[in-house]
Amino acid sequence: MAQLNTQLAGRHYISPLMNASGIHCGLDYMLDELTHSKAATYITKSATLQKRLGNPEPRYYNYKQNSLNSMGLPNEGIDYYLKYVNQDPQTAQRILSITPLTIEDIPLLSKKIDASGYDGLIEINLSCPNILGKPQIGYDFDQMAHYMKVIDQSFYPGSYGVKLPPYFDLVHFDMVAQILNQYPLAFVNSINSVGNALMIHEQQTVIFPKNGHGGLGGATIKPIALANVHAFYQRLNKNIDIIGTGGITNGRDVFEFILCGASMVQLGTVLAQKNLDIFEQIENELHAEMDKYDYKTISEFKGKLQYIQENDAISGASH
Ligand code: DHB
């Protein structure tokens, strides 16, 4: 039987599967449930310095295999999640997600984390599309460079990663990689939801905030997510691992993310739409996919995407 174990930032995991931040991770009991599921680990709901109630409802909508959300960062505040992860016997394997709402929040968040003695990984969210009146830092490269400088001054090398929005231009991948490669990141998580999409039911928007605009997740965004993981795997320093997120619904999808270079993957919409049994189901499907190609370990095919050649295209055109 194939082995699903993998590594992120030198830490060992029994499989590449975990939740995406925001899904089933906002309260203690949800994190307890993730701990007892087949997920290899969990990431917490992205925390701000203070507790937030988030945007007015309706703020989340499922449609087929997709979702639209404008949650607005409802969370219990950093102290709550720090208390939870620090009592966890497996702290070092956990990922704490944080969102600085301003650049001044970065050292304040890091002080709290440091003072608590937390020694797990930290995901710094540079891509929330849902805070009214705030830009996505990941789309403003000058601001992003500035944020990274302060992040570098505030966090220990190799302790943190950043969650990025999707990019759609090859030059943007170059520009983002150029900024990130200057710093000792443990990982990059690509992608956050596709920001400010719109869904309509009958004649009405399906969520309330921002005239219905919200982050799109689910199967539809998988090709975008794969492209982002692939592009960053090609451009980032090899010691920066990649977490692949976006539209995963089955084991074949996970296989494709790993081919593109992901060391781990996160489940968002599919986990919101199904229950925690999805981890075991996707694990089984990943086993089957690896068996199909006779891979015994993740490292045998991680980043080994094969490129179609001109002559292949002629014979294989009608797949
Ligand atoms: C929220 C959404 C995001 O995509 C994100 O990265 C952080 C927070 C939210 O609306 O709560």
Side-chain angles (χ1 to χ4, degrees):
M1 183 109 135
Q3 300 288 312
L4 300 188
N5 58 297
T6 184
Q7 286 189 41
L8 183 75
R11 300 166 200 226
H12 296 262
Y13 296 90
I14 55 169
S15 91
L17 305 175
M18 70 177 122
N19 66 301
S21 183
I23 310 301
H24 208 94
C25 61
L27 294 169
D28 283 4
Y29 82 90
M30 298 174 184
L31 293 162
D32 285 347
E33 286 176 3
L34 276 169
T35 301
H36 296 113
S37 77
K38 288 281 177 109
T41 189
Y42 61 73
I43 180 166
T44 55
K45 169 68 185 173
S46 207
T48 47
L49 273 172
Q50 310 296 336
K51 178 182 165 98
R52 289 171 56 91
L53 294 175
N55 289 336
E57 301 202 22
R59 59 192 186 182
Y60 182 91
Y61 186 81
N62 281 319
Y63 180 69
K64 297 191 177 167
Q65 291 190 96
N66 295 315
S67 65
L68 192 72
N69 88 84
S70 187
M71 304 301 287
L73 268 168
N75 78 94
E76 299 298 310
I78 182 77
D79 293 339
Y80 177 95
Y81 301 103
L82 273 177
K83 184 169 174 218
Y84 186 87
V85 288
N86 282 326
Q87 57 73 43
D88 185 327
Q90 292 195 67
T91 317
Q93 262 63 48
R94 305 312 188 190
I95 309 182
L96 176 76
S97 173
I98 57 171
T99 301
L101 291 173
T102 64
I103 199 158
E104 289 80 23
D105 282 0
I106 295 170
L108 300 174
L109 287 162
S110 84
K111 270 202 197 89
K112 277 182 176 286
I113 295 169
D114 205 17
S116 81
Y118 177 68
D119 67 352
L121 293 166
I122 302 157
E123 178 173 291
I124 305 168
N125 186 5
L126 300 181
S127 48
C128 177
N130 296 331
I131 304 303
L132 307 177
K134 296 251 182 208
Q136 288 177 72
I137 302 303
Y139 284 148
D140 179 336
F141 300 143
D142 289 342
Q143 274 235 63
M144 189 173 169
H146 198 183
Y147 266 63
M148 286 310 305
K149 197 174 249 182
V150 177
I151 288 169
D152 180 55
Q153 290 162 355
S154 304
F155 292 93
Y156 296 109
S159 68
Y160 67 89
V162 294
K163 177 113 173 239
L164 298 175
Y167 300 97
F168 303 92
D169 188 307
L170 293 180
V171 172
H172 290 172
F173 292 124
D174 293 339
M175 292 169 79
V176 173
Q178 195 269 336
I179 296 170
L180 299 181
N181 279 334
Q182 296 174 47
Y183 298 105
L185 277 80
F187 65 89
V188 157
N189 185 350
S190 177
I191 60 174
N192 207 319
S193 54
V194 174
N196 295 302
L198 192 62
M199 285 185 187
I200 296 170
H201 175 68
E202 301 285 353
Q203 302 185 66
Q204 247 184 355
T205 57
V206 296
I207 56 175
F208 173 78
K210 295 196 293 183
N211 289 335
H213 289 260
L216 178 67
T220 295
I221 73 168
K222 190 188 79 169
I224 299 168
L226 284 174
N228 275 259
V229 169
H230 174 258
F232 281 119
Y233 187 72
Q234 288 187 318
R235 288 166 175 77
L236 290 174
N237 296 340
K238 279 294 161 249
N239 52 345
I240 303 178
D241 288 329
I242 299 184
I243 301 176
T245 307
I248 291 170
T249 64
N250 57 45
R252 168 70 200 183
D253 295 338
V254 178
F255 182 83
E256 291 179 8
F257 273 87
I258 296 169
L259 270 183
C260 289
S263 295
M264 294 194 80
V265 300
Q266 295 183 343
L267 308 184
T269 300
V270 73
L271 182 57
Q273 294 183 346
K274 303 203 170 156
N275 59 37
L276 294 166
D277 296 340
I278 192 71
F279 286 109
E280 186 168 11
Q281 186 184 317
I282 292 183
E283 206 177 271
N284 291 337
E285 291 164 354
L286 178 58
H287 268 298
E289 198 66 20
M290 287 170 68
D291 287 349
K292 180 173 164 191
Y293 295 99
D294 209 18
Y295 289 126
K296 299 276 181 279
T297 65
I298 299 273
S299 55
E300 279 174 51
F301 66 102
K302 190 177 101 179
K304 301 271 170 58
L305 179 65
Q306 296 173 17
Y307 298 95
I308 192 167
Q309 302 298 315
E310 239 178 291
N311 288 343
D312 298 339
I314 293 164
S315 56
S318 63
H319 175 68

